[in-house]
Amino acid sequence: MDSRVVADKVITGRTPASPGNPPKADAPNKPTEAIRFGRFELDFDRYELRSDDGPVALEPRTFDLLALLARNRGRTVTRDEIFREIWPGRFVSDAALSSQIRSARKALGDNGTRQAIIATVHGRGFRLRNMALASDATPQPPRAPDQRDVPAPCVAVLPCDAPGDDGRAAVIAGGLNEDLINALSRNRWMHIVSRNAAFALGRSGEPLDEILHRLGADYAVTGSVRLAGDRVRLTVQLTETIGLRCIWSDRFDRRLRDIFELQDELSGLVAARIANQLGVSEQKRAARLRPASLGAWELYQLGTAEFYRFTVAGNRRCQDLMRQSLDRAPDFAEPYARLAYAMVLESVYFEGPTDEAHLDDALQLAERAVALDDQEANTFFALGRVQLARGEYGRAIDALETALDLNPCHALSHCGLGDTLVADNRPATALPSFERALALSPHDPFRWAFMSYRSLAHMFLGDHAAAVHWARSAVLVPNAHYWARAKLVSSLAQSGDRAAARANIPALMRARPGFSCDFARSRLFFVRDPEHLELFLGGLRSAGVP
């Protein structure tokens, strides 16, 4: 179930039974044999939960809830199923379910942070973790663990505080909440809790962990707005539900001129940076899981982490993991998009095939991604990058502009548009795109490319000092690709500092042994203007690159 719908039930409660959802007069059928899980046993004759140490006190409804989870081991029991089985035909809010889950966990020595026995599957329901069951007469084949087949993290944007008596701060805070929810919702790979549910619980005074569990959220966005004269200070935090660990925090200081412009700017910046941090957090979460616990979403995240290593081996592992993700979820759009882009970078960065058949395969993958989700910026971004590699400049620009219409805060699409404009002999027009990409995501794992591509734009414009500056900035990023070093060598030579250019050649050769002008020409096949290509190669030759 969509987390937005789940969250709204906190406000509206359950709907009464209808002809399509008739109430059940009797309690659900129970097995006659006891069910054992871990050191616990459900005895249906005695209606009793026992541990290895003896009986455990339990309310009847909590017993029924545990029985329902135990009978459905190996899969998530949705909230709707639980309401139908445990409260048949009754009008019950999510708070009642939360209370029963807490009671069940307490009886089992578990809690909402550890979730060692009862796992919360955010936005969906609950799962009794796989354990051997004594009532199984014969060995059962292992079941696949419950996996997020596609959907991703659920984020709750809680009310922004406005301490003090200045009513303007409250107005700005309220507008920022609205705009941030809207901006984050453009990222279709995350679920955003509805404003009404988040605000109702966010102002309830309950502990943060309880609020987030009731909302079914994996992450919380909190913050405050303060005013001093015409100065506005926004502080924002991103917190993981499990452990309540703050994984990102930042502060933004601005002058108050136009409230709407201020809210547009800050909500866009915050949304872009939260999206980046969530991606990193989900990649780390996937890396902590055992291989048997990996679903399509986790495989996609692991592949994305490999992608951002920008190495030959990392690119190959990325492609393999994307294909594994698609084996699990053939209609998951994002792995198609990432796989298509990895194939393009294989051609440009990693000496992969550059023939028409290879690029045709990448195009088919990107088009499949768009067909599966034509409202996601990432799918059009990938399509635009494939089309650039194929020399289809106009189509590439159209695809990237579509991506930005869908999500104006998508830093990668701003960078991709800039790179395409540079390749299409429009370097001056490209500069604002690179500026916007860096402003939105200054710590992006692709930021070396934002800088490196911008360096090439300045080179083609004849601004050698700027070209050197941005190339130097690019090579300082830890995961920078050797192309950034090649652009530094060329721009230094063109600026007249051949000694510095020559001094950087050993580092280039270490990063890519045997780098040569002929090799560079073979990989920059997508640059439209032969004079621009020769300018870049001329700088390399002047520095002494063979």
Side-chain angles (χ1 to χ4, degrees), residues 166 168-169 225-233 254-256:
D166 192 331
R168 294 179 303 161
V225 172
R226 287 174 288 168
L227 283 180
D230 67 342
R231 293 181 59 208
V232 180
R233 171 167 291 177
R254 295 293 187 273
R255 294 286 179 185
L256 177 58

Side-chain angles (χ1 to χ4, degrees), residues 306 311-322 342 346 350:
E306 293 292 342
T311 63
V312 173
N315 186 275
R316 289 173 181 165
R317 285 194 294 268
C318 168
Q319 293 191 42
D320 181 58
L321 287 163
M322 292 302 154
E346 179 186 23
F350 306 119

Side-chain angles (χ1 to χ4, degrees), residues 101-102 104-120 213:
I101 290 291
R102 280 198 303 273
R105 282 176 170 151
K106 183 177 180 180
L108 300 174
D110 197 10
N111 59 49
T113 300
R114 292 177 60 233
Q115 299 187 21
I117 301 175
I118 299 177
T120 300
H213 281 302

Side-chain angles (χ1 to χ4, degrees), residues 343 345-355 358 523:
M343 291 174 66
L345 293 194
E346 179 186 23
S347 298
V348 178
Y349 290 177
F350 306 119
E351 304 169 46
T354 59
D355 58 275
H358 181 74
R523 296 294 147 178

Side-chain angles (χ1 to χ4, degrees), residues 36 67 120 132 151-152 154 161 168 253 282 306 351 353 376-377 389 421 432 522 526 536:
R36 187 171 181 84
T120 300
C154 178
D161 292 332
R168 294 179 303 161
D253 291 319
E282 288 293 296
E306 293 292 342
E351 304 169 46
E376 169 56 54
L421 291 169
S522 72
F526 55 89
F536 173 67

Side-chain angles (χ1 to χ4, degrees), residues 385 410-420 433-434 437 449-450 453:
R385 301 307 275 160
H410 195 244
L412 275 179
S413 290
H414 283 285
C415 176
L417 179 59
D419 186 42
T420 304
S433 295
F434 297 127
F450 299 177
Y453 298 165

Side-chain angles (χ1 to χ4, degrees), residues 10-11 93-96 98-99 102 158-159 197-215 222 244:
V10 176
I11 307 304
S93 75
D94 275 8
S98 296
S99 176
R102 280 198 303 273
L158 299 181
F199 273 43
L201 283 178
R203 291 170 173 160
S204 67
E206 295 186 31
L208 180 60
D209 58 345
E210 178 62 21
I211 290 171
L212 296 178
H213 281 302
R214 288 179 63 183
L215 291 173
T222 55
L244 294 182

Side-chain angles (χ1 to χ4, degrees), residues 218-512:
D218 299 287
Y219 300 90
V221 180
T222 55
S224 67
V225 172
R226 287 174 288 168
L227 283 180
D230 67 342
R231 293 181 59 208
V232 180
R233 171 167 291 177
L234 169 67
T235 59
V236 189
Q237 300 84 37
L238 179 65
T239 303
E240 280 185 322
T241 295
I242 297 178
L244 294 182
R245 184 174 67 93
C246 180
I247 61 174
W248 172 78
S249 180
D250 209 342
R251 186 183 77 190
F252 303 86
D253 291 319
R254 295 293 187 273
R255 294 286 179 185
L256 177 58
R257 295 184 178 87
D258 183 288
I259 287 181
F260 292 125
E261 289 183 2
L262 177 73
Q263 290 172 173
D264 286 345
E265 178 192 1
L266 291 179
S267 62
L269 292 176
V270 172
R273 296 182 193 186
I274 286 175
N276 180 50
Q277 292 298 324
L278 278 186
V280 173
S281 179
E282 288 293 296
Q283 290 161 30
K284 290 180 178 178
R285 188 190 69 83
R288 293 193 295 266
L289 297 177
R290 293 176 296 178
S293 301
L294 298 176
W297 172 255
E298 288 79 14
L299 289 164
Y300 168 73
Q301 291 298 335
L302 290 176
T304 299
E306 293 292 342
F307 176 89
Y308 283 126
R309 295 182 191 279
F310 296 111
T311 63
V312 173
N315 186 275
R316 289 173 181 165
R317 285 194 294 268
C318 168
Q319 293 191 42
D320 181 58
L321 287 163
M322 292 302 154
R323 295 184 190 281
Q324 290 182 47
S325 177
L326 291 172
D327 285 343
R328 303 284 184 92
D331 293 333
F332 187 5
E334 299 242 10
Y336 286 102
R338 183 69 70 184
L339 178 56
Y341 192 26
M343 291 174 66
V344 167
L345 293 194
E346 179 186 23
S347 298
V348 178
Y349 290 177
F350 306 119
E351 304 169 46
T354 59
D355 58 275
E356 184 176 350
H358 181 74
L359 296 179
D360 283 347
D361 289 343
L363 180 63
Q364 289 179 9
L365 289 166
E367 289 177 337
R368 175 63 174 157
V370 169
L372 287 169
D373 192 346
D374 63 359
Q375 299 298 306
E376 169 56 54
N378 274 319
T379 62
F380 281 97
F381 166 76
L383 179 61
R385 301 307 275 160
V386 173
Q387 288 168 330
L388 171 61
R390 294 167 60 86
E392 299 167 353
Y393 305 100
R395 290 181 179 179
I397 290 170
D398 288 344
L400 291 160
E401 288 179 342
T402 300
L404 291 171
D405 285 341
L406 292 169
N407 187 355
C409 305
H410 195 244
L412 275 179
S413 290
H414 283 285
C415 176
L417 179 59
D419 186 42
T420 304
L421 291 169
V422 171
D424 194 32
N425 195 17
R426 290 189 270 173
T429 309
L431 294 180
S433 295
F434 297 127
E435 290 174 3
R436 185 61 176 157
L438 282 168
L440 286 169
S441 191
H443 305 295
D444 198 284
F446 223 134
R447 66 189 181 278
W448 71 264
F450 299 177
M451 301 169 183
S452 178
Y453 298 165
R454 180 170 183 170
S455 171
L456 200 62
H458 286 293
M459 181 189 298
F460 292 166
L461 289 169
D463 187 349
H464 302 307
V468 169
H469 167 76
W470 288 108
R472 276 201 173 121
S473 299
V475 300
L476 292 175
V477 179
N479 66 336
H481 192 262
Y482 64 76
W483 277 112
R485 183 73 63 175
K487 290 169 186 174
L488 178 59
V489 169
S490 180
S491 59
L492 281 168
Q494 291 180 58
S495 72
D497 194 348
R498 294 185 181 178
R502 286 193 293 270
N504 275 276
I505 291 177
L508 172 59
M509 295 301 176
R510 285 194 298 273
R512 201 290 178 183

